[in-house]
Amino acid sequence: MQRLAIYDMDKTITAKPTWTRFLLHVARTRAPWRLGLFPVVGLGGLAFLARRIDRAGLKRLSHRLLLGRALPPAEMTAVAEAFADLELQKGVLQGARAQIEADRAAGYRLVMATASHRYYAEAIGKKLGFDDVIATNAKRDGQGHILSELEGENCYGPVKLHMIENWLAAESLHRANCYVRAYSDHVSDAPLLGWADEAFAVNAHGPLAKLAAARGWSQLDWRHG
């Protein structure tokens, strides 16, 4: 029996969402003039709230404005590693660190599954000792430069569970032979939590807390202590 512990990242492991802070970190590091475009990103956020664009569209827009059309992979690796170092210093919840260590000690294979882009989520995951990272992927051009377009779908909601199932197949793992723990802060991960053998609503916002109570899922708060 393969034991898997699957963690969401933003506001589950980290105290705050990471995407906007990563964008600002890269702009500040590589091209400070791009910070002047941040209000346009804010307008994109309003368009998302008005349902004029979807999450993937907002991700493409903000990437294009603050990261640029294409980043060489070596540059992306450098800024992602630097951001991951900052996040581990200041942004990771102690309760999350403790649970990750406990699951590792109990023999669980640690898997991060996040809607955040792989190009920086993987750096954070590896520094925390995760064995595998499932995340949103970016397209690359013929030279390997990272583009603002998505490769495949945004790893969010039901798509996240589908990507996890594809990962299981690629790893030659059968669901019936796995015992799965899943941790998330957001109701969008209800498909994953319902699929898991043990579901943990962590730092849950209102809708997830209500659903967890109805479904009998464990509730944890890593924001204090």
Side-chain angles (χ1 to χ4, degrees):
M1 181 68 68
Q2 174 73 68
R3 289 188 285 183
L4 304 175
I6 303 177
Y7 288 72
D8 175 51
M9 184 174 73
D10 283 11
K11 299 181 75 175
T12 300
I13 293 173
T14 63
K16 299 177 182 178
T18 56
W19 174 236
T20 299
R21 291 185 297 110
F22 174 73
L23 292 173
L24 293 173
H25 167 78
V26 178
R28 200 176 294 116
T29 302
R30 294 185 67 255
W33 65 268
R34 289 190 178 276
L35 296 173
L37 300 175
F38 188 67
V40 183
V41 177
L43 291 176
L46 293 176
F48 167 72
L49 292 175
R51 299 186 179 182
R52 302 292 297 274
I53 61 174
D54 61 11
R55 288 179 181 275
L58 179 58
K59 194 168 285 186
R60 286 191 293 268
L61 172 68
S62 51
H63 175 130
R64 181 68 179 83
L65 289 171
L66 294 184
L67 304 189
R69 189 189 67 80
L71 258 73
E75 285 190 43
M76 181 62 87
T77 297
V79 292
E81 289 287 330
F83 178 75
D85 286 337
L86 289 173
E87 199 64 17
L88 262 69
Q89 290 172 20
K90 302 177 181 179
V92 175
L93 296 165
Q94 287 303 119
R97 290 182 186 269
Q99 188 63 54
I100 290 165
E101 289 304 317
D103 282 340
R104 180 186 293 110
Y108 281 83
R109 181 170 176 175
L110 300 176
V111 182
M112 179 186 286
T114 175
S116 296
H117 262 294
R118 175 180 297 278
Y119 47 61
Y120 76 92
E122 192 163 54
I124 294 171
K126 295 305 181 186
K127 289 178 184 294
L128 286 170
F130 277 83
D131 300 296
D132 305 274
V133 175
I134 299 164
T136 300
N137 293 301
K139 285 187 177 180
R140 297 180 182 240
D141 65 16
Q143 288 72 49
H145 292 181
I146 297 158
L147 308 176
S148 60
E149 293 295 318
L150 304 190
E151 184 66 46
E153 296 183 87
N154 193 37
C155 185
Y156 182 83
V159 173
K160 181 183 286 190
L161 177 56
H162 181 61
M163 291 177 69
I164 290 168
E165 291 173 329
N166 286 344
W167 172 81
L168 284 176
E171 294 291 313
S172 299
L173 296 172
H174 300 284
R175 178 65 182 89
N177 297 330
C178 296
Y179 185 86
V180 180
R181 287 179 168 177
Y183 304 85
S184 179
D185 73 290
H186 200 271
V187 73
S188 63
D189 278 329
L192 168 60
L193 294 169
W195 175 84
D197 297 290
E198 281 187 278
F200 297 90
V202 181
N203 315 324
H205 69 151
L208 179 57
K210 183 176 179 180
L211 182 62
R215 297 277 187 91
W217 297 339
S218 298
Q219 297 195 50
L220 305 173
D221 191 340
W222 294 338
R223 294 167 296 191
H224 308 289

